[in-house]
Amino acid sequence: MLHVVKKLNALLEPRDRPKVLLLAALMVLTAFMQTAGVASIMPFLSVLSDPGAIQSNEWLNTAYTVLEFDSDRSFLYFLGIISFAVFVSGTALQALTFWAINRFSHMQQYELSRRLMADYLRRPFSFFLTRNSGDLSKTILNETSQVVSGAMMPAMRLLSHFLLAVAIISLLIIVHPFLAVSVAIVLGTVYGIIYFAARAWLQRVGRERVVANRERFTAAAEAFAGAKEIRLLGREQAYLERYRLPSKRFARHQANAALLNQLPLFAIEAVAFGGVLLLVLVLMAGEGGLSQALPLIGLYGLAGRQLIPAFQKIFAAVANIRFNMAAVEEVLLDLGDREGSQSFTKVIPHGERLVPSETIRVEDVCFTYPGSGEPSLQGLSLDIPARTTVGIVGSSGAGKSTLVDLLLGLLRPDSGCIRIDDTKVDHSNVRRWQAAVGYVPQHIFLADQSVAANIALGLTESEIDRDAVIKAAKLANLNEFVTQELPESYDTIIGERGVRLSGGQRQRIGIARALYRDPDVLFFDEATSALDNATERAVMEAIHNLSGHKTIVLVAHRLTTVRPCDWIFVMQGGSLVEEGDWETLSRSSGQFKRLSAGI
Ligand SMILES: Nc1ncnc2c1ncn2[C@@H]1O[C@H](COP(=O)(O)OP(=O)(O)OP(=O)(O)O)[C@@H](O)[C@H]1O
């Protein structure tokens, strides 16, 4: 139990922990008031069954005289009203506790998913290379709510009902120790047997639920991401099966766990019914008959009304927590920062950018992807002179994209370093360096937003600088298309639910996005491969017009793309094998020659 408390505590933000203590105090008060409500029926029933109790019972006698009652009947009404008032207060407090637990828990779900989302966004880029995006969404959206509704909320309800059960059993012990202990033992045993029989099963299906959940999220995400290929290959049925099987397992586990929560209630209702009959017979057989037995029967009637649901809820909470511990562990595993996590940064002003004035130097860099045996770059060194345009070419798998990701500061070299002039790029200045670069990848991601918002990606409408958007679009050879062909010009919604764009138009949005913040260094990773020859020529012309002012790095498959570059690097097997200008390389007989010959 202690390890469960520790894990649940670890899910909370330090500032939320005092709130839990406050909730616990409210629970204690509620348990006390509810027990008082149960106890308050006794004096009422005593006087009802035997008015002589007013004289024989010291407490009743004192109350009768001090409050100056003059008839038994009015005193009985008074006792009834008091009992009712205490009972209603207990119930009102119970409703308040229920509300407080619910509110706290749901806010925790929001808080937990927000923290997880922030933690993921801060992770080093290499984290995203090893994790499935469907899995991350599942943990943020689904497992956090499972953690809260299946473990955190039950844990608090468990405490609340446990306190109530302890208080009521204590009351029963004070009134009639033997009877109370017998009732506690019977109830405890029924629940205990069922719980211990189901313990291991609950833990196992809890873990299987997490796995099935991951599989169904991944299958759903992949089915839509690859809709085109899946349709073409006719693999819809296979994908439906990939989704159906884990979904069915998931639903079965959820249903079984929910059923187990309720199962003891049926057994307990039978036991309780038999118990009440037995209680009445035993008490009636004792001295004093019905008038002695009535207050005790009334007490047990009310106590049972509180106690049986409390026991049931304690059981359900314990079973729920056990079933959902796997989800708690899953969330805990991902919560918090890791080595290389970066804090969010505000916009870095132009003046603080790390801009090369002489060279961008790659110095003896080695890099191996996590989980991969083979190094992708080994001992790579090269110099990119500032304000020149350089090309990087090489056969597929040569390491070009890896080099660009390292240059962008997204990946960190295992050994060696990247220097901007004399400054080594590291954790402390990588954001300043990234503020100076623009990057156009091969596959452009489009958000379901306007053209302008896509170019100024991540900014709100009011933050977008319209002039900068248009300037960037013109440079990317996009302005004409947007203003003449799109119905609402820069306000047209594009992306998944908006106007569909061709590969070339998409690519030009990507180029305009990179140019929007007027970067000092531009990286194009196969960025023009989706453009037709005429558009590529126009875009390349625009890019080359920037040369002299900006440092431009072009990664390209098509050698003609890098022809106008000042300098060309040729890579092979993770190393630099040749470098030079187009003329020199064309005359060589090395890898460049083979590439141009298409060998
Ligand atoms: N996420 C990854 N995990 C493990 N290995 C990777 C990963 N990405 C790339 N690699 C490996 O690193 C090597 C270099 O890949 P990279 O993508 O840098 O080559 P490239 O020259 O850009 O190829 P292409 O022209 O086909 O895009 C390849 O052997 C590739 O298998």
Side-chain angles (χ1 to χ4, degrees), residues 389-393 554 556-570 578-589 592-593 595-597:
T389 302
V390 302
I392 301 176
V393 293
L554 288 173
H557 254 123
R558 263 194 294 214
L559 288 188
T560 47
T561 313
V562 296
R563 188 177 188 137
C565 290
D566 301 309
W567 201 253
I568 298 165
F569 298 102
V570 186
E578 269 181 296
E579 62 180 301
D581 60 20
W582 177 272
E583 301 303 327
T584 322
L585 287 173
S586 306
R587 284 197 300 273
S588 79
S589 56
F592 188 79
K593 189 86 175 176
L595 285 174
S596 53

Side-chain angles (χ1 to χ4, degrees), residues 176-480:
H176 198 310
F178 174 73
L179 203 57
V181 172
S182 316
V183 168
I185 289 175
V186 170
L187 286 181
T189 311
V190 173
Y191 281 106
I193 289 173
I194 298 179
Y195 176 69
F196 281 102
R199 244 165 82 101
W201 177 84
L202 274 170
Q203 191 170 27
R204 183 175 58 78
V205 295
R207 291 202 176 122
E208 283 175 15
R209 187 206 73 87
V210 171
V211 174
N213 202 20
R214 177 179 306 136
E215 286 173 12
R216 73 188 184 120
F217 261 80
T218 311
E222 285 179 8
F224 300 123
K228 199 181 215 174
E229 286 94 329
I230 290 169
R231 168 63 52 88
L232 216 57
L233 294 167
R235 300 277 152 76
E236 292 94 339
Q237 186 63 39
Y239 262 85
L240 182 60
E241 283 300 291
R242 272 193 63 189
Y243 177 76
R244 190 182 68 79
L245 297 173
S247 276
K248 198 170 170 187
R249 255 187 296 139
F250 177 81
R252 214 176 37 227
H253 292 328
Q254 293 277 80
N256 285 341
L259 174 70
L260 187 92
N261 284 347
Q262 296 303 319
L263 211 57
L265 189 61
F266 306 117
I268 281 297
E269 277 180 352
V271 172
F273 187 69
V276 168
L277 290 182
L278 202 66
L279 179 74
V280 173
L281 293 177
V282 170
L283 291 175
M284 295 274 289
E287 285 170 33
L290 184 65
S291 65
Q292 278 288 321
L294 194 61
L296 212 52
I297 293 172
L299 176 74
Y300 268 83
L302 264 192
R305 216 196 122 269
Q306 303 274 24
L307 211 52
I308 291 179
F311 263 83
Q312 173 61 25
K313 282 169 187 161
I314 290 172
F315 175 84
V318 171
N320 240 324
I321 293 170
R322 186 134 191 110
F323 176 65
N324 287 304
M325 258 348 252
V328 171
E329 280 156 14
E330 178 97 347
V331 170
L332 274 179
L333 212 60
D334 276 2
L335 209 58
D337 283 340
R338 300 286 180 277
E339 196 201 340
S341 285
Q342 287 185 337
S343 55
F344 298 140
T345 37
K346 295 265 169 236
V347 177
I348 293 173
H350 255 268
E352 284 179 29
R353 290 179 176 184
L354 190 56
V355 182
S357 56
E358 300 279 331
T359 42
I360 301 168
R361 172 163 297 159
V362 178
E363 222 173 75
D364 202 17
V365 162
C366 295
F367 180 79
T368 305
Y369 281 98
S372 161
E374 290 286 303
S376 295
L377 293 183
Q378 26 196 347
L380 184 77
S381 295
L382 53 87
D383 277 2
I384 300 169
R387 291 176 302 281
T388 61
T389 302
V390 302
I392 301 176
V393 293
S395 52
S396 186
K400 306 180 295 291
S401 298
T402 309
L403 171 62
V404 170
D405 286 349
L406 280 152
L407 279 166
L408 290 168
L410 293 174
L411 298 175
R412 287 203 294 176
D414 298 332
S415 63
C417 67
I418 312 281
R419 283 186 196 277
I420 310 304
D421 297 334
D422 289 329
T423 313
K424 184 174 163 180
V425 176
D426 60 20
H427 199 66
S428 68
N429 57 20
V430 68
R431 287 289 195 184
R432 287 173 48 223
W433 161 234
Q434 284 169 342
V437 308
Y439 167 62
V440 190
Q442 188 169 5
H443 302 287
I444 305 295
F445 147 78
L446 288 186
D448 251 332
Q449 287 180 303
S450 68
V451 175
N454 263 285
I455 292 177
L457 188 71
L459 299 185
T460 61
E461 285 293 335
S462 62
E463 289 169 332
I464 296 173
D465 176 350
R466 283 276 168 166
D467 293 338
V469 165
I470 294 169
K471 191 173 160 204
K474 279 183 177 163
L475 277 173
N477 211 5
L478 183 70
N479 184 53
E480 207 174 307

Side-chain angles (χ1 to χ4, degrees), residues 13-16 106-122 139-141 144 331 335-336 344:
E13 283 267 61
R15 68 182 146 84
D16 285 333
H106 282 109
M107 289 316 283
Q108 279 305 309
Q109 203 257 313
Y110 147 74
E111 185 62 26
L112 206 54
S113 63
R114 183 200 63 79
R115 278 168 60 203
L116 210 49
M117 177 87 178
D119 288 344
Y120 284 151
L121 287 175
R122 277 197 290 262
T139 310
I140 292 178
L141 299 171
T144 53
V331 170
L335 209 58
F344 298 140

